[in-house]
Amino acid sequence: MASGSYRNGGVKVASKVDRLPSSAGYTTPKPSTKSRLSAAAAPSRRGVSVAPSSSKAGGDSGVPGRVRVAVRLRPRNAEEMIADADFADCVELLPELKRLKLRKNNWDSETYEFDEVLTEFASQKRVYEVVAKPVVESVLEGYNGTVMAYGQTGTGKTFTLGRLGEEDTAARGIMVRAMEDILADTSPETDSVSVSYLQLYMESIQDLLIPANDNINIVEDPKTGDVSLPGATNVEIRDQKSFMELLRVGEAHRFAANTKLNTESSRSHAILIVHVKRSMKGRIDVDHSFHGENSMATNLVSSFRPPIVRKSKLVVVDLAGSERIDKSGSEGHTLEEAKSINLSLSALGKCINALAENSPHVPVRDSKLTRLLRDSFGGSARTSLVITIGPSPRHRGETSSTIMFGQRNERLKFQQNYLDSAKKLEEKWKANVDKARTEHQNLCLDNARNVEAPSTSTSDDVGEVRQFQNEKHLRQSTEDEINKLKSEVSRWKQLEEAGNAEILKLHKILDSEVGQKKKLEEEIAILKSQLLQLSFHANETKPSLDRGVPGKLSTGFDSLVSQARHSQLRDSANGPKASIAKLFEQVGLHKILSLLESEDLDVRVHAVKVVANLAAEETNQELIMAQGGIGLLSVTAADAEDPQTLRMVAGAIANLCGNDKLQKRLSREGGIKALLGMVRCGHPDVLAQVARGIANFAKCESRASTQGNKAGVSLLIEDGTLPWIVKNANHEASPIRRHIELALCHLAQHEINVKDMITEGALWELVRISRNCSREDIRLLAHRTLMSSPIFQSELRRLHIEF
């Protein structure tokens, strides 16, 4: 289970908006009738068969594979208003010139150029029109398209892309607005629109609509290069309301965590894939080659033409936050998440570099993110990237890194402009040279005629003088243009050298940070070990509690087990339990379990009470599992908020945990994870039931391992409960502490679990239990377990602890 939490999203259904005009900076390609037919018949490697032939809007849309880049500045937040009150913003926007200045200090700054520069006052509608609307229009024309958001955590990537606009429709993000335009331009009778919503977490593709569907494989067609995900959920969209509900469900399952830069930082790349299939019958004009001499022949040919289906794909990628590890404060599992995020973003940057440099090889196989986007950027596909930055001078390093990521895509634009200018000047120069040569030849012929006929008039002499003057001016203008071209070439070379130097500098900085990170990790490990030793020595100085009492010791765990069984037998004989059993016989378990899915909250609560009482009887436990009861209890645990309901659910699962026959199935169907999820409530009664269930499960596992019926690491450890057990082993509430101490002792009885327990710090808790536990039987069991384990003994000797 990830260290982050799930993030909830809420929406309000937006009304249908008017169709907006296409952005002037990005013209949607309009393929001809013939090219459309070809596109339907034989799809290319990029999702369409014919690239646009003459799209030049914005000065760069004609470049194949060009990634358009827009930069968006987030306004200062409340924290920055206080912390940076005496400092100016580190960026200055020049939206009219489409430029951005990044201040180094009070007197020096660097200037960068983008396709669009969006200020902190830019509306969500404006951002959509500039960044995503041209791509959406290309998708409706049959081309693949991608919209990505890149930037530091907390700069507004998810706000720009995934904002649902529940309270204010003007705040809707790109995903919602794009689907509105697609649904407005398609017909449910002839077209189909379907959606998949995924997340790429730790190099594993997971379905956000059905979280259990994880580790989805990427399939590539070897002939066309098309990328597909056969294991992903694909939901057909009929209206905007169903799409909003789908986004809400997916956003609730996305991984998020609390970092120093954001209280709810996305720890995965969210990927929305919209598949559009459009029937072109009746929309495409009949080709001129089909026209005969009369309309009857034309109609006959048209009637035999098969319907043409145009397929395209829109991919919207909300990239996870990019920042340095020391800035985000990541550690433990969150640190591993940050490493995975930075590696996938680095692979994406390499692919964009290769596209910008027209490289014959684009390394799309370096990560699953680039493999997933293989047929959606480059070639004839349309790609827009919006980079989000913040104004705070404290994060100037991250802002500079984000800007440099976006500037990679500008290199192709400058190269193309340079090549176009050079080609035009070369053609003009050749034309001038040819013209001068022709005029010179004509002049020579005229001079020869004048020599043969000395009676030429004065007007002919004047004409020769004018021709010589024209030739002189022509040669001068040609030389000026050549000199200008040379200066342009020199300037571009200087820019290229400066860019290479900056890249080399960034590589050195990256290597330095990697070395610093390794040193910090080593220092953290040393400090953690020293802290554990100091904590142990501090505990030794405390006075011993209830030690040295003479007399015979209690009977230990056997007496505890006997008391628990007698208590259960007494409880089963009372009136409510008898009535519950009678209700079970009359109604049937499957009907009782079905009430757990009722929309009425009171009905669900009463059903939970009944199932909790039934789970106390061992004869009913296998029936509950066979009818899918653990899955329904897990869903109820995830939806419930009141402590009373959560306590009953936790009690029912805790009873099931005490059944030896249900161990593997209980873990496989999510029972342990459901228990661990209920600790969010924090109520002592709920935590006591969770601790009881973990203790029951550990006891059954210990018994099965002793009898030789189980091998391998404990399922509790595999499901991630050990950190919580260690954290609460010394809980102030006696019932919680007692169950957790029992669970630790049972887990430690088997050598295969010992290494994991040492790693998570359970050894220190066992030492504490063996010395300071108020229950003598638990104290003796902990002492016996530590003495019988060679690995524990070796670790204690290594730490110079006498035991």
Side-chain angles (χ1 to χ4, degrees):
M1 186 173 181
S3 62
S5 61
Y6 287 118
R7 178 173 58 196
N8 293 323
V11 306
K12 178 181 179 181
V13 178
S15 60
K16 184 175 180 182
V17 297
D18 297 334
R19 295 286 293 150
L20 299 172
S22 175
S23 174
Y26 197 159
T27 301
T28 303
K30 304 292 184 182
S32 64
T33 303
K34 187 174 181 179
S35 67
R36 293 176 183 178
L37 295 174
S38 301
S44 71
R45 292 180 63 84
R46 298 298 181 189
V48 293
S49 62
V50 181
S53 59
S54 60
S55 179
K56 300 292 182 184
D60 55 14
S61 61
V63 180
R66 169 92 164 97
V67 179
R68 286 180 51 82
V69 183
V71 59
R72 187 183 194 186
L73 176 65
R74 170 183 59 75
R76 284 193 177 190
N77 54 35
E79 179 187 354
E80 293 168 347
M81 288 287 188
I82 299 173
D84 303 332
D86 299 332
F87 301 94
D89 293 347
C90 67
V91 294
E92 178 185 353
L93 302 184
L94 304 172
E96 297 81 4
L97 301 177
K98 297 183 179 180
R99 291 179 181 174
L100 177 148
K101 287 186 178 180
L102 180 63
R103 291 194 180 94
K104 292 183 178 179
N105 44 50
N106 291 335
W107 57 87
D108 192 11
S109 63
E110 298 173 339
T111 302
Y112 301 93
E113 186 173 347
F114 294 90
D115 293 304
E116 291 292 342
V117 174
L118 301 166
T119 68
E120 64 269 34
F121 306 108
S123 65
Q124 291 283 75
K125 178 181 178 182
R126 168 65 177 163
V127 174
Y128 172 71
E129 291 177 352
V130 169
V131 175
K133 188 175 180 63
V135 179
V136 173
E137 291 178 344
S138 292
V139 171
L140 291 172
E141 290 295 330
Y143 292 82
N144 287 352
T146 302
V147 179
M148 296 182 289
Y150 174 91
Q152 180 189 4
T153 291
T155 53
K157 299 183 300 300
T158 303
F159 179 86
T160 299
L161 294 183
R163 185 75 170 182
L164 301 182
E166 181 179 12
E167 298 178 354
D168 183 8
T169 57
R172 292 167 299 168
I174 286 176
M175 290 182 181
V176 177
R177 294 177 184 270
M179 183 55 67
E180 285 181 347
D181 281 0
I182 291 173
L183 292 177
D185 201 70
T186 55
S187 172
E189 290 78 13
T190 58
D191 307 330
S192 71
V193 179
S194 59
V195 169
S196 296
Y197 200 11
L198 314 165
Q199 71 173 347
L200 180 59
Y201 175 73
M202 299 284 285
E203 283 301 296
S204 175
I205 299 177
Q206 301 178 1
D207 199 330
L208 287 176
L209 303 181
I210 303 179
N213 189 10
D214 58 1
N215 200 17
I216 299 173
N217 293 325
I218 301 175
V219 178
E220 300 176 14
D221 192 322
K223 295 182 179 179
T224 64
D226 291 340
V227 176
S228 61
L229 300 166
T233 304
N234 198 23
V235 181
E236 186 170 354
I237 302 299
R238 291 290 183 178
D239 51 39
Q240 189 71 8
K241 182 178 180 181
S242 61
F243 176 69
M244 299 279 280
E245 184 63 27
L246 180 144
L247 286 184
R248 187 183 296 109
V249 172
E251 192 67 14
H253 292 119
R254 190 177 176 190
F255 282 108
N258 184 9
T259 68
K260 291 182 179 179
L261 298 176
N262 195 353
T263 57
E264 201 170 354
S265 173
S266 300
R267 311 310 297 163
S268 64
H269 307 302
I271 304 165
L272 177 72
I273 304 177
V274 182
H275 298 275
V276 181
K277 295 181 182 180
R278 307 191 68 186
S279 176
M280 293 293 104
K281 186 175 182 181
R283 300 183 184 178
I284 301 179
D285 297 334
V286 179
D287 198 305
H288 292 292
S289 62
F290 291 151
H291 283 285
E293 295 182 356
N294 54 62
S295 60
M296 183 179 297
T298 301
N299 294 333
L300 183 61
V301 173
S302 300
S303 64
F304 282 102
R305 296 176 68 185
I308 299 172
V309 177
R310 178 185 293 168
K311 298 180 180 179
S312 57
K313 178 170 62 176
L314 172 65
V315 182
V316 183
V317 185
D318 181 5
L319 296 168
S322 63
E323 64 276 332
R324 290 184 296 179
I325 302 300
D326 57 342
K327 278 292 185 70
S328 63
S330 299
E331 58 183 8
H333 188 77
T334 309
L335 177 62
E336 297 302 321
E337 293 174 342
K339 290 180 182 178
S340 177
I341 291 169
N342 290 338
L343 286 174
S344 61
L345 292 177
S346 175
L348 177 62
K350 290 180 182 178
C351 289
I352 295 177
N353 266 340
L355 291 172
E357 295 172 356
N358 258 347
S359 173
H361 171 66
V362 180
V364 295
R365 295 189 176 276
D366 287 358
S367 74
K368 287 192 176 181
L369 176 62
T370 51
R371 285 183 62 198
L372 192 61
L373 299 177
R374 174 178 177 177
D375 61 351
S376 298
F377 60 38
S380 57
R382 289 290 174 262
T383 304
S384 284
L385 170 66
V386 55
I387 61 174
T388 57
I389 59 176
S392 175
R394 291 177 297 160
H395 304 309
R396 185 191 178 282
E398 284 71 21
T399 302
S400 175
S401 175
T402 301
I403 291 173
M404 292 307 300
F405 186 92
Q407 283 292 301
R408 295 171 177 172
N409 307 286
E410 297 298 313
R411 188 177 302 171
L412 180 59
K413 177 182 176 181
F414 296 143
Q415 291 178 351
Q416 190 65 29
N417 291 339
Y418 162 70
L419 294 175
D420 292 341
S421 300
K423 186 176 181 180
K424 290 179 181 178
L425 289 173
E426 183 180 1
E427 292 176 353
K428 189 174 181 180
W429 178 78
K430 288 183 179 180
N432 290 338
V433 170
D434 294 339
K435 182 178 180 181
R437 185 181 293 110
T438 302
E439 291 179 351
H440 181 69
Q441 292 176 353
N442 294 334
L443 182 61
C444 292
L445 291 174
D446 291 340
N447 290 336
R449 291 171 184 169
N450 290 336
V451 172
E452 294 176 358
S455 59
T456 306
S457 63
T458 305
S459 60
D460 294 336
D461 294 335
V462 174
E464 290 181 11
V465 173
R466 289 179 178 176
Q467 287 178 354
F468 278 117
Q469 290 177 347
N470 291 336
E471 182 179 358
K472 182 179 179 180
H473 289 310
L474 184 62
R475 289 181 178 177
Q476 184 64 38
S477 63
T478 303
E479 290 176 357
D480 292 341
E481 290 177 352
I482 292 175
N483 291 332
K484 184 178 179 181
L485 179 61
K486 289 180 179 180
S487 65
E488 287 288 329
V489 171
S490 177
R491 186 167 71 88
W492 288 117
K493 287 183 178 179
Q494 291 177 358
L495 289 175
E496 185 177 3
E497 291 175 357
N500 292 334
E502 185 69 22
I503 292 174
L504 182 60
K505 181 179 178 182
L506 290 174
H507 279 301
K508 291 181 179 179
I509 294 175
L510 180 61
D511 294 338
S512 176
E513 289 185 353
V514 170
Q516 292 178 1
K517 185 190 70 172
K518 290 182 179 178
K519 291 181 181 179
L520 288 174
E521 288 178 348
E522 293 174 356
E523 292 178 0
I524 289 171
I526 295 172
L527 290 174
K528 186 175 180 181
S529 176
Q530 293 175 351
L531 180 61
L532 292 174
Q533 293 182 16
L534 288 174
S535 177
F536 175 75
H537 291 309
N539 289 333
E540 281 187 334
T541 60
K542 295 181 180 179
S544 301
L545 300 176
D546 299 331
R547 290 187 180 178
V549 179
K552 189 176 181 180
L553 298 175
S554 62
T555 57
F557 280 100
D558 294 334
S559 64
L560 290 176
V561 172
S562 177
Q563 292 173 10
R565 288 179 176 173
H566 286 302
S567 176
Q568 183 175 358
L569 289 174
R570 288 196 303 270
D571 292 340
S572 65
N574 59 19
K577 292 288 180 69
S579 61
I580 292 297
K582 185 176 180 180
L583 177 65
F584 166 54
E585 294 176 0
Q586 293 177 352
V587 178
L589 180 60
H590 66 284
K591 293 184 179 180
I592 297 174
L593 291 175
S594 66
L595 296 178
L596 292 175
E597 299 175 301
S598 174
E599 296 180 358
D600 190 339
L601 179 61
D602 292 333
V603 174
R604 289 204 306 271
V605 171
H606 288 297
V608 168
K609 292 180 180 178
V610 174
V611 175
N613 282 282
L614 289 174
E617 299 294 335
E618 186 175 355
T619 56
N620 301 330
Q621 292 173 355
E622 293 186 24
L623 291 175
I624 292 174
M625 293 294 294
Q627 295 289 339
I630 190 64
L632 295 174
L633 288 172
S634 299
V635 172
T636 305
D639 294 339
E641 295 295 337
D642 63 296
Q644 184 66 14
T645 303
L646 289 175
R647 182 188 65 80
M648 290 186 292
V649 175
I653 298 178
N655 289 335
L656 295 175
C657 288
N659 193 320
D660 294 337
K661 302 177 182 178
L662 306 179
Q663 294 282 291
K664 292 184 178 179
R665 186 169 180 179
L666 192 66
S667 175
R668 184 172 61 251
E669 295 182 10
I672 302 303
K673 292 184 178 180
L675 270 181
L676 199 60
M678 284 184 281
V679 303
R680 71 183 187 279
C681 173
H683 195 278
D685 292 341
V686 178
L687 296 181
Q689 293 299 328
V690 173
R692 184 172 71 86
I694 291 176
N696 288 344
F697 197 98
K699 178 182 177 182
C700 291
E701 268 197 335
S702 177
R703 186 161 52 238
S705 299
T706 303
Q707 296 173 356
N709 297 329
K710 182 187 180 304
V713 179
S714 170
L715 297 176
L716 289 173
I717 296 178
E718 291 182 351
D719 285 343
T721 61
L722 188 55
W724 184 84
I725 292 174
V726 174
K727 181 179 178 181
N728 293 273
N730 197 17
H731 198 279
E732 59 184 3
S734 176
I736 300 174
R737 183 174 65 253
R738 177 171 59 84
H739 288 304
I740 294 179
E741 288 174 345
L742 287 173
L744 274 175
C745 292
H746 284 304
L747 286 174
Q749 287 182 340
H750 302 283
E751 287 293 298
I752 196 167
N753 301 329
V754 168
K755 291 185 178 179
D756 289 325
M757 297 184 70
I758 292 175
T759 303
E760 293 294 337
L763 173 59
W764 302 102
E765 295 299 331
L766 284 171
V767 173
R768 179 191 61 77
I769 293 169
S770 67
R771 295 184 176 183
N772 301 330
C773 181
S774 60
R775 291 284 299 271
E776 188 175 6
D777 49 352
I778 299 177
R779 189 168 65 248
L780 286 176
L781 180 60
H783 184 275
R784 185 167 62 251
T785 300
L786 288 172
M787 294 299 295
S788 62
S789 172
I791 299 178
F792 277 150
Q793 289 296 311
S794 175
E795 183 67 11
L796 292 172
R797 285 193 298 272
R798 187 182 69 81
L799 297 175
H800 306 290
I801 298 174
E802 296 181 2
F803 194 83

